[in-house]
Amino acid sequence: MDNNCKNEGRRDFLKKSTALAALAVASPALVKAGENDEKIAALFEKIPLNIEVNGKAFSLSVEPRTTLLDFIREQLHLFGTKKGCDYGQCGACTVHVDGERINSCLSLAVMNEGKKITTIEGLANGEELHPMQKAFIKHDGFQCGYCTPGQIMSAVACINEGHANSRDEVREFMSGNICRCGAYPNIVDAIMQTKKEGSTHD
Amino acid sequence: MINFEYIRASSVKAAVEALAKNPTGGFIAGGTNLIDLMKRGVTAPTRLIDINNLPLKQVEETSAGLHIGALAINSEVSANDLVKNNYPLLSMAFAAGASAQLRNMATVGGNMMQKTRCSYFYDTAMPCNKRQPGSGCGALQGHNRMHAIFGASDKCIAVHPSDMCVALAALNATVTVSGPKGERKILFTDFHRLPGDKPELDNTLQKGEIITGVIIPKNTFNKNHYLKIRDRASYAFALISVAAALEVSGDTIKKASLAMGGVAHKPWRLTEAEKFLVGKTATKENFSKAADLAIKGAKGYGHNNFKLKMAPIAIVEALMIATGIA
Ligand SMILES: Cc1cc2nc3c(=O)[nH]c(=O)nc-3n(C[C@H](O)[C@H](O)[C@H](O)COP(=O)(O)OP(=O)(O)OC[C@H]3O[C@@H](n4cnc5c(N)ncnc54)[C@H](O)[C@@H]3O)c2cc1C
Ligand code: FES
Ligand code: FES
């Protein structure tokens, strides 16, 4: 992908066409009024964002209301990071910001100016999977796989924080990642094994 | 989410000025509560002032006690050695809140300012006096399992959901704020308020003011425990929580400070129980008597009647764990 990602996603297109439709049905008085035109323009005003994602620098512009999650998925087209609840309740959107795990659905992209983001796509070293990815495969740490990118990002951080010293500790510090398939015992196995085998740095 | 103007503040003064220029705007810190509410249409600020670059992240001990900046991150405060060793109650309360990811985002100021999790407040199709004054309280006759048993009014029975705040209330903290009229201090126990006739007001922060930090007096409590009871073992709001801090010498209780979460519109101090405990020996019997005093005047609203039974048990349990009897 080039650094200035201009591809228009299907959702961007839908958003814009909805906005145009809204203008088309607006009363003539509203469209004429200069003040309202300005208001509509302001709604779409984008601001510049410099951000590093998986080791690559991007200089783009975003609407202030774009969450980090939507930015990653819809502007960078990195679809590994998942949207589960969109309200901070499930952990599917977990990414690392400057090495710390967060829920990207509750952060605005613009709040991450100058930050270094790592997503699930940035974890492997070329073709070589990250030890945590290998452990999830080995231990069958998933069923449908929807929660898995978030689980893996969270698990890597959990070990780096020093919070994987027992199965109970792992359960407590992984509680922000919900798995509707209930793969929890195997997820804990995968984390305990990775922890035993050594370092997991991004 | 309705779009808004976004600006980054570089100083406390600039942040206060930016808000004064646009009173329908607001501050954003971690974003974990505000963005949630904006997505659901519960609130729609026209300008967001990002305060994350303000130099308010310190955690330091002085002769006056522990100073924590409003932008200190919850997980960092919880893991700070100073806090863990000298203010263990606070560290425990932080660790009991939300998830590891959310604690990496949430700030101390944002945590104080977080809104209730009452489902009628969250659902814009429902009546809620807090969200829309005069529309009625949906919870009063509705699903009120999570709701208050102390200090509620017929306008609002919501609870304040924070864990951190319960510990800060027990530790006699003070909030420092800055605003258009200068700086001032608010006792933590006076910061949040009861709903009364104005449930739309969560706290006593004045329009245009910003929280700069909290100060906790030097801790002399040597027996501490934060007990949180919830629907699942982790990552859920408290049904009831108890912050118990005692200064015990020999077997005698010299000082007692107790606060509860999940039971009122603000962290609820158990002053009668505290008074009773001072001078008594630390025994289960005394703890039970204190707990009975603590829940005098409590009132259930139907689905939350179980809290009337749970509260005294939780108080005794927290005190037993704190003193090592259990
Ligand atoms: C799924 C989920 C589970 C949770 N579970 C728990 C839990 O178990 N226990 C618990 O205690 N909390 C829990 N929380 C809540 C969490 O602790 C709060 O969302 C968080 O503390 C808010 O901090 P923030 O910095 O993200 O605030 P923001 O969302 O940025 O701001 C919240 C409000 O505070 C205002 N504000 C922020 N900083 C200041 C300041 N310095 N001065 C004045 N106003 C300010 C903002 O304008 C806004 O109105 C949970 C949240 C979620 C999403
Ligand atoms: S999508 Fe972010 S926590 Fe569920
Ligand atoms: S594997 Fe299906 S949700 Fe976790």
Side-chain angles (χ1 to χ4, degrees):
Chain A
M1 198 186 320
D2 81 43
N3 277 12
N4 233 330
C5 188
K6 287 201 180 111
N7 278 350
E8 197 169 85
R10 180 174 57 92
R11 284 171 213 179
D12 290 332
F13 173 74
L14 284 178
K15 257 193 231 154
K16 281 181 193 153
S17 38
T18 325
L20 289 176
L23 283 178
V25 298
S27 76
L30 178 76
V31 176
K32 250 192 268 159
E35 187 199 15
N36 281 311
D37 283 354
E38 259 170 48
K39 271 189 191 154
I40 291 162
L43 284 181
F44 288 87
E45 198 190 329
K46 293 190 170 185
I47 54 178
L49 174 65
N50 300 296
I51 194 168
E52 190 180 309
V53 180
N54 300 333
K56 243 165 117 176
F58 292 88
S59 284
L60 296 166
S61 48
V62 292
E63 280 189 22
R65 64 176 159 181
T66 308
T67 60
L68 182 60
L69 173 61
D70 287 344
F71 171 75
I72 290 168
R73 288 181 55 87
E74 296 182 17
Q75 273 182 265
L76 301 187
H77 295 175
L78 293 170
F79 298 118
T81 308
K82 299 292 184 244
K83 184 183 282 191
C85 64
D86 212 19
Y87 296 120
Q89 298 177 349
C90 75
C93 65
T94 304
V95 300
H96 298 180
V97 176
D98 291 342
E100 305 284 347
R101 52 174 158 165
I102 63 135
N103 298 122
S104 60
C105 68
L106 289 186
S107 185
L108 298 173
V110 289
M111 289 163 67
N112 294 278
E113 168 74 24
K115 299 270 164 76
K116 291 189 169 71
I117 316 294
T118 308
T119 70
I120 188 73
E121 289 91 343
L123 218 48
N125 185 3
E127 292 296 298
E128 176 78 9
L129 290 182
H130 185 281
M132 189 66 79
Q133 290 174 305
K134 287 187 195 161
F136 265 68
I137 294 170
K138 177 170 172 210
H139 291 278
D140 233 351
F142 46 80
Q143 289 177 38
C144 77
Y146 197 82
C147 71
T148 313
Q151 297 279 2
I152 291 176
M153 294 312 288
S154 199
V156 169
C158 184
I159 293 182
N160 288 344
E161 290 161 9
H163 290 143
N165 298 307
S166 67
R167 296 183 74 87
D168 276 350
E169 195 182 22
V170 166
R171 280 192 206 99
E172 170 59 33
F173 281 89
M174 288 295 292
S175 71
N177 293 83
I178 308 290
C179 174
R180 291 202 70 177
C181 298
Y184 297 113
N186 299 0
I187 293 172
V188 178
D189 288 346
I191 298 173
M192 294 310 287
Q193 185 207 307
T194 313
K195 158 84 181 172
K196 214 169 79 197
E197 289 177 356
S199 155
T200 62
H201 281 276
D202 286 1
Chain B
M1 204 189 316
I2 296 176
N3 221 357
F4 46 81
E5 187 191 1
Y6 171 85
I7 45 182
R8 293 188 188 102
S10 52
S11 68
V12 170
K13 191 164 164 270
V16 170
E17 279 168 8
L19 186 59
K21 280 199 199 116
N22 185 341
T24 55
F27 300 125
I28 185 161
T32 60
N33 191 219
L34 187 58
I35 294 176
D36 187 353
L37 294 167
M38 288 171 67
K39 283 184 183 179
R40 297 175 199 261
V42 174
T43 181
T46 54
R47 162 186 281 192
L48 281 189
I49 302 147
D50 185 339
I51 56 174
N52 285 290
N53 292 335
L54 304 189
L56 300 172
K57 297 194 171 117
Q58 77 279 15
V59 181
E60 56 196 20
E61 210 173 22
T62 66
S63 55
L66 186 72
H67 285 242
I68 306 178
L71 287 161
I73 299 293
N74 286 192
S75 58
E76 286 171 17
V77 185
S78 176
N80 185 295
D81 282 337
L82 212 56
V83 180
K84 273 205 297 209
N85 297 331
N86 302 349
Y87 304 83
L89 185 67
L90 184 60
S91 176
M92 282 186 258
F94 270 122
S99 67
Q101 289 96 314
L102 289 160
R103 293 193 295 270
N104 277 343
M105 309 169 78
T107 64
V108 167
N111 194 320
M112 288 169 59
M113 294 296 287
Q114 65 174 299
K115 295 297 213 172
T116 181
R117 309 299 289 202
C118 172
S119 52
Y120 296 92
F121 176 77
Y122 262 77
D123 186 343
T124 54
M126 288 289 174
C128 170
N129 287 323
K130 187 182 274 303
R131 177 170 34 74
Q132 202 180 345
S135 62
C137 172
L140 211 50
Q141 309 291 333
H143 290 278
N144 49 34
R145 193 171 162 272
M146 300 297 288
H147 290 72
I149 53 171
F150 291 115
S153 76
D154 60 357
K155 300 279 192 296
C156 179
I157 60 171
V159 300
H160 193 264
S162 166
D163 291 298
M164 173 197 83
C165 292
V166 183
L168 288 178
L171 294 173
N172 302 310
T174 301
V175 187
T176 58
V177 310
S178 187
K181 290 184 200 146
E183 296 178 1
R184 67 184 182 109
K185 288 182 178 169
I186 309 169
L187 272 183
F188 198 87
T189 43
D190 292 336
F191 184 81
H192 296 97
R193 57 184 293 287
L194 291 177
D197 279 341
K198 283 200 179 315
E200 67 275 22
L201 299 179
D202 291 337
N203 53 56
T204 53
L205 196 72
Q206 297 294 311
K207 224 180 159 68
E209 284 181 327
I210 186 171
I211 300 167
T212 51
V214 287
I215 304 170
I216 308 168
K218 259 212 170 356
N219 188 23
T220 58
F221 298 112
N222 55 358
K223 307 283 176 193
N224 301 274
H225 191 66
Y226 186 74
L227 177 78
K228 183 174 178 184
I229 302 174
R230 43 193 154 174
D231 283 328
R232 54 185 182 200
S234 179
Y235 197 20
F237 286 95
L239 293 166
I240 281 184
S241 69
V242 181
L246 299 178
E247 190 183 318
V248 181
S249 149
D251 265 350
T252 312
I253 299 167
K254 300 279 178 199
K255 247 169 88 180
S257 194
L258 298 167
M260 282 185 107
V263 295
H265 200 255
K266 62 185 286 188
W268 191 253
R269 276 287 290 263
L270 311 179
T271 39
E272 291 304 313
E274 291 169 3
K275 271 189 223 147
F276 170 82
L277 285 173
V278 174
K280 303 276 186 324
T281 49
T283 62
K284 186 171 183 183
E285 207 194 346
N286 281 330
F287 295 159
S288 297
K289 283 184 187 158
D292 289 342
L293 286 172
I295 64 145
K296 275 215 172 115
K299 177 176 179 226
Y301 291 88
H303 297 121
N304 70 346
N305 287 353
F306 73 95
K307 289 190 183 181
L308 301 173
K309 276 193 189 159
M310 187 185 269
I313 298 171
I315 295 167
V316 174
E317 182 76 5
L319 286 165
M320 301 273 282
I321 298 174
T323 50
I325 298 177

